Amino acid sequence: MSPDILSVAGSIPSSCLHRIFRAAEKREEETGVEVVKLHVGDPYFNPAENVADAFVDAVRRGDTKYTGVEGLPELRAAVVDKLRTDNGVDSAVSRLLISPGSCQGLAALLQSLAEPGAEILLPELHWPVHLQQALIAGFRPVLYPLGKDFRPDPEAIAAAATPRTRVLLINSPANPTGVVLDREELGALVDLARSRGWQVISDEAYEHFLYEREHISTASLERDLPVAERIVHSVFSFSKSFAMTGYRLGYVALANERAADVMKVAQEANIIGTSTPVQYAGIAALDSRAEAAEINRKLVQHNRDVVLAPLVQAGLLRELPAGGWYAMLDVSRTGLDAETFATRLLESKGVAVVPGNGFAMRPDVDDQGRIRSHDYAPWAQHLVRIAFCVDPASLETGVRLLLEFVEECGDGGSASAG
């Protein structure tokens, strides 16, 4: 028998996202029938042609050597310009780090901010990877309750904090809820963090996917402050806006020079450097960003407006999501919990969705930061998440089959697995 792995990572369960991903793959292997994939946020559209051309050109001319851990100077300068003109964020090349995907950028940022015994405030309905990353970095997660319509409440956050709190994480537009925070809400959160001496992480991966208002970057609220006094660290992705999910490219705009210097060490220890040809593809993506991002937003918004409408009519969705790529459905009328609903929907209809309780895991952490046990917030037991960035025909099919399944369950019934 092999010895137990007693690390923090060894105590973390696989997320609901990966479990359903593997279940969908297994069903396809066993049946030979393609699953309708509403469980993963991978867009049906592709990057602009100039992105692929830039990647191939870099490979062919031999630009495949290491770059500095911070990333290509040309790309960093282009990102700083984008942040200034598009986001209202006053950054600088010295405070801008390129990462192989925003996920890795988040992980390195958390590692650079972690202190022994420090706590991080995460929303009680959260992207599971945020929780995993916080634990692996050494944070003790504290889940703050959300108010009406899954919106953060500064008073509830302040009440959840302790003297060990060091970081507040904000995600707008939010995964999985689609909630978009306005300037007043963001300002209240930043003011709270500043009054308590916390750092703020702003995850803005879905910055271009807002359907009813303009995106507000949290760090834009600090642009009139001296750099040394800023506390908001912003994380962005090329994956969503430019459909570059498989390229793995993101960036982190650090609040101040000291934070940037510390994160460089974390980056060096983790990655050495980001793929050089991919960084040239990123430069090309930024060159055509205004047109590409708008085209992609319209594609996803069409899915939201047209294909999700029947879910609202059926009472499974209270309203259309204000941002992002996902919708949280309430399937309580079926009498099934989220896990059972997702399993039976996949088995009987060949449609993959993600159980929403997996976004509301509540870990019990020991003194070493390992998870001793965990449960799920009871109010999430009837929620499931669907992605609406997928091919419109697949989304329409998936929604139709999901509604069929709900009707077959009846009020409190249980459709059998076929």
Side-chain angles (χ1 to χ4, degrees):
M1 179 180 293
S2 61
D4 287 340
I5 297 176
L6 301 178
S7 65
V8 169
S11 74
I12 300 173
S14 178
S15 77
C16 56
L17 303 171
H18 291 285
R19 289 199 301 274
I20 194 67
F21 192 91
R22 289 192 289 267
E25 283 187 331
K26 182 180 179 181
R27 176 179 169 82
E28 287 186 332
E29 292 172 359
E30 292 176 348
T31 66
V33 178
E34 186 174 358
V35 165
V36 181
K37 301 177 178 68
L38 305 186
H39 61 300
V40 61
D42 216 350
Y44 75 95
F45 41 88
N46 294 314
E49 288 188 12
N50 67 321
V51 172
D53 291 342
F55 178 89
V56 173
D57 289 346
V59 172
R60 286 179 172 165
R61 67 174 177 261
D63 277 331
T64 56
K65 307 298 184 184
Y66 288 132
T67 66
V69 67
E70 305 92 338
L72 278 172
E74 307 99 297
L75 176 56
R76 294 162 69 206
V79 169
V80 168
D81 178 70
K82 175 263 180 187
L83 288 171
R84 182 178 63 252
T85 58
D86 297 4
N87 300 87
V89 174
D90 174 30
S91 187
V93 171
S94 61
R95 303 195 301 276
L96 196 290
L97 275 69
I98 306 298
S99 59
S102 65
C103 187
Q104 191 282 326
L106 276 164
L109 176 58
L110 285 163
Q111 291 170 24
S112 67
L113 296 176
E115 304 171 14
E119 295 175 351
I120 182 172
L121 288 160
L122 303 175
E124 59 183 354
L125 197 61
H126 51 267
W127 186 39
V129 175
H130 282 152
L131 179 59
Q132 292 176 329
Q133 290 175 330
L135 286 163
I136 290 174
F139 280 104
R140 298 177 62 87
V142 174
L143 303 178
Y144 60 81
L146 297 173
K148 184 180 179 182
D149 302 329
F150 301 124
R151 310 191 79 82
D153 176 0
E155 291 185 5
I157 293 173
T162 78
R164 301 169 71 180
T165 299
R166 295 293 181 270
V167 176
L168 169 66
L169 186 140
I170 302 171
N171 181 205
S172 175
N175 176 8
T177 63
V179 166
V180 175
L181 303 183
D182 60 28
R183 185 179 298 275
E184 182 178 351
E185 290 172 309
L186 291 170
L189 295 176
V190 173
D191 288 346
L192 171 63
R194 186 175 302 283
S195 70
R196 297 295 185 91
W198 305 338
Q199 302 290 304
V200 174
I201 294 176
S202 181
D203 182 348
E204 302 179 31
Y206 298 92
E207 59 170 323
H208 288 109
F209 295 90
L210 286 83
Y211 312 115
E212 297 158 1
R213 64 180 66 172
E214 294 296 317
H215 176 64
I216 304 298
S217 284
T218 312
S220 68
L221 307 180
E222 292 194 310
R223 65 178 302 154
D224 295 330
L225 289 177
V227 172
E229 297 178 14
R230 298 178 188 177
I231 60 172
V232 179
H233 312 282
S234 308
V235 184
F236 296 87
S237 175
F238 284 78
S239 293
K240 278 63 180 182
S241 303
F242 311 116
M244 295 173 63
T245 50
Y247 280 75
R248 309 312 304 134
L249 188 63
Y251 53 95
V252 181
L254 284 304
N256 51 64
E257 299 292 343
R258 174 57 179 161
D261 288 342
V262 175
M263 185 171 159
K264 288 173 190 176
V265 175
Q267 286 279 88
E268 182 179 357
N270 277 281
I271 63 166
I272 303 299
T274 302
S275 164
T276 303
V278 167
Q279 293 187 68
Y280 281 106
I283 294 173
L286 291 177
D287 286 343
S288 58
R289 68 181 182 273
E291 179 181 7
E294 180 63 10
I295 288 172
N296 294 341
R297 181 193 63 79
K298 288 181 177 179
L299 292 173
V300 179
Q301 181 162 2
H302 178 270
N303 278 359
R304 184 198 83 135
D305 293 348
V306 175
V307 187
L308 296 191
L311 296 171
V312 177
Q313 295 163 8
L316 301 177
L317 186 61
R318 195 182 68 79
E319 62 183 3
L320 296 176
W325 284 3
Y326 310 102
M328 291 295 283
L329 311 185
D330 183 345
V331 299
S332 55
R333 59 178 281 196
T334 65
L336 303 176
D337 63 74
E339 292 280 355
T340 304
F341 181 94
T343 299
R344 293 186 182 177
L345 179 65
L346 179 61
E347 292 174 346
S348 66
K349 300 292 184 180
V351 178
V353 299
V354 186
N357 60 312
F359 297 92
M361 190 178 90
R362 304 184 300 188
D364 175 32
V365 180
D366 68 17
D367 291 339
Q368 285 74 45
R370 296 187 296 253
I371 296 179
R372 286 181 293 217
S373 63
H374 69 275
D375 63 4
Y376 303 98
W379 49 261
Q381 65 179 328
H382 297 298
L383 300 178
V384 298
R385 191 196 77 171
I386 66 169
F388 56 91
C389 58
V390 301
D391 176 74
S394 294
L395 180 61
E396 186 175 4
T397 297
V399 168
R400 175 177 56 80
L401 292 172
L402 186 150
L403 289 171
E404 284 182 8
F405 178 76
V406 169
E407 290 304 315
E408 289 169 8
C409 288
D411 292 333
S414 56
S416 60

